[in-house]
Amino acid sequence: MDLSVALAVLLAALLHATWNALLKSGKDMLLDTAAIVIGGGVVAVPLVLVVAVPPAASWPYIAGSALIHIAYYLLMVNAYRAGDLSLVYPLMRGTAPMITAVLGVLALHEWPGPLSCLGIALISLGVFALALRTVDHRPSRAAVGFALANAAVIATYTIIDGQGARVAQDAWSYICWLFVVDAVPFTLLVAYLRRGSFAAAMCERRWRGLLGGGLSATAYAISVWAMTKAPVALVASLRETSVLFAALIAARVLRERLSARRWAGACAIVLGALALKLA
């Protein structure tokens, strides 16, 4: 993987952890998620005026990704309702690389080399170490269940968008149009679920939504672009270093307690990222 691509993916990881921390710090997970999704769509609207319209062959990927993202948002909302950022985020993001690697082999015929496999294994093991709790801090079964289910969803849309961007032959065009399309079905769903208070809630959260949506859109745009420059499994695994950033934010900003075991897991993730860089 080229150094510039690796650094870009690390920046995307930091941005992704930041907007998840912003979401976790909110008062109403569903409405805050809707605000961020809308914000991402609003940020992308001016961009679709300057990028090319994706070719017809890429639109099934955009539509499929938008539908799968509904499940992603709903599972994320329920996971954060039930558990801490330092528990849910590692499980959601960290188990996805293993699933993505398998799907990458089956769907895209991308076979990672020995060092890449070591990197994926170290990142995954580090994530599990971060997610484990001590006896007096047993994790919520609901939080773990929602997070693991979302890991499978993340792996699925990662493969879809990686392939869709390649079919489009223009990652920026693909991702800009995806964010605009993606905002529509989830917004309509939340507007129906919270009818009567939705408009006022979105107005109240407009700046939070624009900030979170901007961070989310930028992070994912970088990731999808990187998937056109390097194997999807490697990009997805390096992106999961966002777990390390999330752990630091959870400890310093949200005041969540991180044990020595969790810090050891963070170190394993860093070593895994280095292995991926050297692959």
Side-chain angles (χ1 to χ4, degrees):
M1 184 184 294
D2 185 75
L3 177 60
S4 61
V5 177
L7 291 176
V9 176
L10 288 174
L11 173 61
L14 174 60
L15 297 179
H16 193 279
T18 302
W19 81 258
N20 270 257
L22 182 67
L23 173 61
K24 178 59 180 172
S25 66
K27 296 179 180 179
D28 188 311
M29 296 297 171
L30 184 62
L31 290 175
D32 287 333
T33 301
I36 289 173
V37 172
I38 293 171
V42 170
V43 168
V45 165
L47 299 178
V48 301
L49 301 177
V50 297
V51 299
V53 177
S58 66
W59 280 99
Y61 294 94
I62 292 174
S65 180
L67 291 176
I68 291 172
H69 269 80
I70 296 175
Y72 167 68
Y73 296 134
L74 293 176
L75 287 168
M76 182 171 60
V77 165
N78 284 285
Y80 280 140
R81 281 173 176 168
D84 292 338
L85 177 71
S86 56
L87 167 67
V88 169
Y89 195 90
L91 284 175
M92 284 197 305
R93 306 307 310 187
T95 55
M98 295 183 294
I99 303 171
T100 303
V102 173
L103 291 178
V105 171
L106 296 177
L108 305 181
H109 306 292
E110 293 178 345
W111 295 87
L115 196 55
S116 298
C117 289
L118 175 62
I120 293 171
L122 282 171
I123 290 176
S124 299
L125 288 173
V127 163
F128 280 117
L130 280 171
L132 289 175
R133 293 288 184 113
T134 56
V135 175
D136 58 330
H137 290 87
R138 181 171 297 176
S140 161
R141 290 185 178 181
V144 171
F146 284 126
L148 291 177
N150 219 13
V153 173
I154 290 167
T156 302
Y157 76 61
T158 296
I159 293 293
I160 290 174
D161 290 337
Q163 187 65 10
R166 292 180 179 183
V167 171
Q169 298 182 343
D170 184 342
W172 300 115
S173 170
Y174 180 89
I175 198 64
C176 289
W177 280 95
L178 172 62
F179 265 88
V180 172
V181 174
D182 176 64
V184 176
F186 187 72
T187 299
L188 292 175
L189 175 62
V190 179
Y192 172 75
L193 294 175
R194 296 297 180 88
R195 52 192 179 278
S197 62
F198 179 77
M202 292 304 100
C203 183
E204 179 185 350
R205 291 167 169 80
R206 61 187 181 278
W207 296 117
R208 173 184 286 261
L210 285 172
L211 174 59
L215 293 173
S216 174
T218 303
Y220 200 53
I222 292 172
S223 297
V224 172
W225 166 80
M227 289 174 198
T228 67
K229 303 298 182 181
V232 170
L234 300 191
V235 173
S237 297
L238 185 57
R239 188 179 60 189
E240 304 320 325
T241 54
S242 59
V243 171
L244 175 59
F245 296 122
L248 292 171
I249 293 171
R252 299 296 182 182
V253 180
L254 301 182
R255 303 299 180 186
E256 295 180 7
R257 179 179 174 273
L258 274 74
S259 65
R261 181 193 298 164
R262 288 195 174 188
W263 286 118
C267 291
I269 289 174
V270 173
L271 291 174
L274 290 174
L276 287 174
K277 173 61 191 76
L278 295 173

